[in-house]
Amino acid sequence: MSLRRRFAPLLLAAGLLGLPATAGAEAVPGTGGGRAVPLRVATYNIAAGAGSDRVFDPGRTAEALRSLDADVIGLQEVDVHWGARSEWRDLAAELAESLDMEVHFAPIYSFDPPAEGEPRREFGVAVLSRFPIVSAENHDITRLSTQDPNPVPAPAPGFGEVVLRAHGVRVHVYSTHLDYRGDPSVRQAQVADTRRIMAEDCDRKNRCPRQVLVGDFNAEPDAPELAPLWERLTDAAPAAGEGTYPAAAPVKRIDYVTVSDGIEVRDATVLGTLASDHRPVVADLLVRRGR
């Protein structure tokens, strides 16, 4: 079975593995003796395996990802048998295997292969995880296709969600890639879709799971179209004070790790690598127990 298709069954929950439910937990000051688990989360637009020099080098991409030492990594611009630019390779599965992580790949585009019997041509986002992936989904959000000569905004896939059990704590992680165009209207619709989808994971009393949204938002933090996100989510990396794009000399911060209530940000860093035209963001989090 392809690595990108494998999901861990529910019986891999920590208790059934014979591990204590509090494995990896630590006391969190100010939470009345409650406990939380550490989680290092990163996001990286890998530009289909090409560096700032535009040379395709998936080994360099894997090394950059390895240097993050992250438990969970959201990826954007991931080619899976897409075309010659990435040598028709399955980057999602290859990177997962190289890092010994599980993966969920969520295609934005999925086209028939150039010849019968060959794999489908796909491009999208992914989530890599050191923890078992309990479940995964590829959601539709509003998109303006780059493959259609006369596109109109319409629902399309490519908003990936995975549910993890990190040291016994259930965490929802979403990886996204918002529209790049100067006109913010599509991003505005995508933000509304994102909020709706994330709210669907809450119960009738508006109690929500621990949620982490990462990705390339193609807008800076003060962009009006992103404002609705900050009503429910916390930007993990403002203290880093560094841009993420373009990697060689960043002038914009458009790549994010964001967290919901119940998750504390301990630290965040933007790494100076040229393995893509973006720089990765990595954040050290504490996830409190509870819904």
Side-chain angles (χ1 to χ4, degrees):
M1 180 182 296
S2 171
L3 279 172
R4 68 189 180 93
R5 303 297 185 195
R6 76 188 156 101
F7 305 126
L10 289 169
L11 58 79
L12 287 177
L16 296 180
L17 283 171
L19 298 174
T22 56
E26 59 181 91
V28 181
T31 60
R35 302 186 70 80
V37 299
L39 188 68
R40 174 170 268 206
V41 176
T43 188
Y44 198 18
N45 181 325
I46 63 169
S52 287
D53 56 7
R54 299 187 179 182
V55 174
F56 176 66
D57 187 348
R60 177 172 55 181
T61 303
E63 187 55 37
L65 292 171
R66 190 174 294 109
S67 72
L68 301 174
D69 193 26
D71 299 310
V72 185
I73 308 172
L75 303 178
Q76 301 83 46
E77 295 194 17
V78 182
D79 280 5
V80 171
H81 309 297
W82 177 255
R85 71 180 184 186
S86 50
E87 300 177 353
W88 301 94
R89 291 160 65 169
D90 183 340
L91 294 184
E94 287 187 22
L95 291 172
E97 184 172 14
S98 178
L99 276 67
D100 193 24
M101 300 175 82
E102 293 199 14
V103 63
H104 168 60
F105 172 66
I108 297 171
Y109 303 118
S110 182
F111 297 141
D112 290 337
E116 186 176 353
E118 294 183 356
R120 293 185 67 79
R121 298 179 55 240
E122 296 183 311
F123 169 86
V125 302
V127 177
L128 301 173
S129 176
R130 286 179 177 169
F131 297 104
I133 295 176
V134 175
S135 64
E137 191 168 353
N138 185 5
H139 297 280
D140 284 3
I141 61 173
T142 302
R143 294 197 181 277
L144 192 60
S145 175
T146 62
Q147 307 298 303
D148 187 334
N150 299 297
V152 295
F159 179 42
E161 175 185 4
V162 303
V163 179
L164 310 174
R165 285 213 179 261
H167 305 296
V169 177
R170 189 180 181 91
V171 184
H172 292 237
V173 180
Y174 311 80
S175 180
T176 195
H177 192 180
L178 302 187
D179 192 76
Y180 68 92
R181 296 168 178 87
D183 180 351
S185 59
V186 175
R187 285 193 299 278
Q188 186 176 18
Q190 291 174 328
V191 166
D193 294 336
T194 297
R195 284 169 49 91
R196 171 183 52 78
I197 291 165
M198 294 179 72
E200 289 172 356
D201 289 327
C202 305
D203 64 18
R204 293 182 178 179
K205 296 183 178 180
N206 203 32
R207 293 177 298 190
C208 302
R210 306 310 187 218
Q211 296 173 309
V212 179
L213 170 68
V214 306
D216 176 358
F217 292 0
N218 269 310
E220 296 191 76
D222 60 353
E225 64 267 29
L226 298 188
L229 288 179
W230 311 138
E231 295 174 12
R232 288 197 62 244
L233 298 170
T234 298
D235 179 2
E242 299 178 41
T244 62
Y245 182 84
V251 296
K252 298 179 180 180
R253 187 163 72 86
I254 60 175
D255 301 273
Y256 298 83
V257 174
T258 71
V259 301
S260 70
D261 289 344
I263 301 179
E264 175 188 338
V265 180
R266 284 199 154 182
D267 192 22
T269 305
V270 176
L271 274 73
T273 174
L274 300 180
S276 167
D277 59 349
H278 289 245
R279 291 187 177 188
V281 180
V282 61
D284 288 301
L285 312 175
L286 276 178
V287 184
R288 295 175 188 153
R289 297 191 178 279
R291 183 168 172 81

